[in-house]
Amino acid sequence: MARHDHQLHEGEALKTAARERLTREGEQWTDMRAAVFDSLAGFGKPASAYDIAEAVSKAQGRRVAANSVYRILDLFVNANLARRVESANAYVANAHPECLHDCIFLICDQCGQTVHIDDDTLTSGVREAAKSAGFTAPRPVIEVRGTCGDCEDR
Ligand SMILES: [Zn+2]
Ligand SMILES: [Zn+2]
Ligand SMILES: [Zn+2]
């Protein structure tokens, strides 16, 4: 991994880092965006726009449309505040909004719990292989399906 101050945040520190990152992008940290980020960060596993819309609707006592949540999630992905977990067709909060990596996700088939690892040596190998095959600007999507430690112990 390139040498930099790589920090993983959680809880309040993650919300602060996410807010700082988004406002540095010139975007506003609106109440709605904050609510969506809170819900996403608290989910514990990949969540769809519908999951988030339901959770935010419940918390606020009013109906929030999945479409508006989807647009916010899209903004979050572009601003590095969230990542899409392709094989789960859902999103997770990005624990490192300050730096960009080809995040690798390990997804448990039993409980849906998702572990996130960053290993740029692994992903740069994939990038190189893609370039050799004539692909420009490859964006590796590396996801591993299996059984997490918790489920294995059960
Ligand atoms: Zn980093
Ligand atoms: Zn990552
Ligand atoms: Zn599991």
Side-chain angles (χ1 to χ4, degrees), residues 81-110:
L81 266 56
R83 305 287 307 218
R84 241 184 91 78
V85 180
E86 305 288 349
S87 69
N89 203 12
Y91 301 81
V92 291
N94 184 4
H96 50 75
E98 290 100 346
C99 51
L100 199 61
H101 295 282
D102 298 315
C103 302
I104 299 168
F105 293 107
L106 317 178
I107 305 124
C108 178
D109 281 331
Q110 313 292 322

Side-chain angles (χ1 to χ4, degrees), residues 59-78:
Q60 302 199 342
R62 64 185 180 99
R63 211 184 80 79
V64 171
N67 249 346
S68 26
V69 171
Y70 179 78
R71 278 196 299 273
I72 294 174
L73 290 172
D74 204 41
L75 171 79
F76 284 175
V77 169
N78 288 325

